[in-house]
């Protein structure tokens, strides 16, 4: 693990491997360790950079809502620090919201996008209300208060019943997430823009991945991304829910590596 001073916060990240740069952004309420399998699989041919987004993992939080644009600017500033001009940039769920914000604000710095288990739309009023309730609950009782509910939505019933190590790993990521950082991220997601009309402006190769059983960002959201982003490719990861990269790393890595290997140098 390394850290860099970026836009007033100390940002933790891993930077491994050699080759064209790939930046992977984690979801909520997780941290960069969710990319462990991808980091291992890609590092032979790529330079893989996985930051903890602000307030999450080992990265310090700022004050107030951690907006998707703030997080995207943090990623661009980290790339500056690491001497990375352009990278394939991708994220899962909240990481995908940040990826789209990154492209909107720093488009020349993305040579390709990965959008996994995510959506372009904004929250409904109802979803915003739920986020605020969750933020208050977390600030009062800690992030573990959300763990059971979140696990049920993020993993398939099969994984929940039969893969205790995967369940324990996800629970541990949630437990380690700082309450204030999580509340700030929830409030940041609640005010994020609807980026749907912007999708037609995405002009770089884009891979969209989604778990066939994803309830939080269902395959129909991925289909919207595919329809609106010219030339994009959608692959459905079978028998996976929202955390498709954690539940089905082999399938996820195969799709991601094939996509990256096909990019023009
Ligand atoms: C995530 O996995 O990042 C979250 O489920 C995203 C969200 O709550 O919208």
């Amino acid at each position: 693990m390394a850290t860099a001073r970026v836009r007033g916060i100390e940002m933790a990240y891993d930077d491994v491997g050699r080759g064209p740069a790939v930046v992977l952004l984690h979801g909520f309420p997780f941290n960069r360790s969710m990319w462990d399998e991808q980091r291992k699989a890609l590092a032979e041919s790529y330079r893989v950079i996985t930051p903890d987004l602000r307030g999450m993992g080992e990265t310090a939080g700022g004050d107030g809502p951690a907006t998707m644009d703030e997080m995207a600017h943090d990623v661009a500033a980290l790339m500056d620090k690491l001497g990375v001009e352009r990278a394939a940039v991708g994220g899962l769920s909240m990481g995908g919201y940040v990826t789209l914000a990154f492209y909107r604000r720093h488009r020349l710095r993305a040579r390709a996008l990965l959008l996994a288990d995510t959506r372009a739309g904004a929250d409904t009023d109802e979803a915003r209300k739920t986020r605020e309730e969750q933020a208050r609950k977390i600030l009062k009782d800690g992030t573990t208060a959300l763990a059971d509910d979140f696990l049920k939505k993020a993993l398939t019933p099969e994984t929940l019943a039969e893969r205790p190590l995967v369940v324990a790993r996800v629970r541990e990521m949630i437990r380690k997430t700082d309450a204030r950082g999580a509340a700030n991220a929830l409030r940041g997601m609640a005010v994020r823009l609807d980026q749907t009309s912007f999708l037609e402006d995405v002009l770089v190769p884009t891979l969209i991945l989604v778990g066939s059983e994803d309830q939080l960002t269902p395959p129909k959201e991925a289909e919207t991304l595919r329809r609106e982003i010219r030339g994009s490719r959608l692959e459905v990861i079978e028998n996976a829910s929202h955390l498709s990269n954690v539940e089905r790393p082999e399938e996820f890595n195969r799709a991601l590596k094939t996509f990256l290997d096909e990019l023009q140098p």
Side-chain angles (χ1 to χ4, degrees):
M1 193 266 281
T3 63
R5 186 95 196 143
V6 158
R7 305 182 69 244
I9 57 170
E10 204 60 39
M11 196 160 193
Y13 63 95
D14 286 312
D15 178 4
V16 299
R18 274 163 177 252
V22 180
V23 178
L24 296 175
L25 308 175
H26 62 79
F28 172 91
F30 306 119
N31 59 59
R32 69 187 194 283
S33 74
M34 67 167 263
W35 297 116
D36 283 353
E37 285 87 355
Q38 286 67 46
R39 200 183 300 112
K40 276 185 216 129
L42 297 177
E44 260 179 39
S45 334
Y46 295 94
R47 178 178 179 185
V48 188
I49 299 165
T50 48
D52 281 337
L53 295 168
R54 63 170 52 214
M56 321 278 294
E58 293 171 277
T59 293
D63 290 324
T67 65
M68 304 302 101
D69 280 23
E70 281 291 322
M71 292 189 187
H73 292 320
D74 294 343
V75 172
L78 179 65
M79 286 168 64
D80 289 342
K81 286 261 170 172
L82 300 180
V84 174
E85 179 56 34
R86 292 185 88 211
V89 179
L92 184 137
S93 199
M94 181 182 79
Y97 310 157
V98 179
T99 298
L100 283 174
F102 180 91
Y103 190 77
R104 209 166 27 77
R105 306 299 297 263
H106 302 278
R107 70 175 61 196
L108 296 179
R109 311 204 54 186
R111 61 192 289 263
L113 301 181
L114 162 71
L115 298 169
D117 299 278
T118 193
R119 59 159 59 83
D123 278 1
T124 59
D125 288 343
E126 188 60 30
R128 275 191 204 111
K129 204 165 136 251
T130 306
R131 294 229 198 252
E132 186 51 34
E133 284 163 11
Q134 287 177 334
R136 286 173 195 218
K137 192 168 170 57
I138 287 175
L139 287 170
K140 190 163 148 282
D141 301 327
T143 35
T144 39
L146 288 191
D148 286 335
D149 191 39
F150 203 83
L151 281 166
K152 265 189 232 134
K153 291 183 188 145
L155 300 172
T156 60
E158 186 198 337
T159 299
L160 287 166
E162 290 166 22
R163 299 173 70 194
L165 292 180
V166 174
V167 178
R169 174 179 167 201
V170 177
R171 190 183 284 285
E172 185 59 8
M173 280 197 284
I174 299 174
R175 191 189 65 76
K176 276 190 174 158
T177 303
D178 174 64
R180 200 162 68 95
N184 287 347
L186 281 166
R187 289 170 174 157
M189 285 192 282
V191 297
R192 76 185 190 281
L193 297 176
D194 183 343
Q195 303 190 100
T196 312
S197 64
F198 157 77
L199 297 176
E200 64 181 27
D201 292 343
V202 175
L203 300 176
V204 291
T206 299
L207 174 66
I208 300 153
L209 296 177
V210 66
S212 59
E213 316 298 314
D214 189 345
Q215 302 172 40
L216 288 169
T217 47
K220 77 170 175 16
E221 299 285 356
E223 276 153 27
T224 303
L225 293 168
R226 202 214 48 76
R227 200 176 52 242
E228 300 295 322
I229 302 178
R230 222 165 307 164
S232 59
R233 178 191 303 174
L234 166 62
E235 289 194 35
V236 177
I237 311 280
E238 296 300 331
N239 301 316
S241 179
H242 189 57
L243 286 177
S244 58
N245 71 315
V246 173
E247 283 195 292
R248 300 285 162 209
E250 279 180 23
E251 293 81 348
F252 191 101
N253 294 350
R254 197 176 312 123
L256 177 55
K257 185 146 188 321
T258 303
F259 170 73
L260 293 171
D261 289 350
E262 282 172 13
L263 292 175
Q264 298 301 321

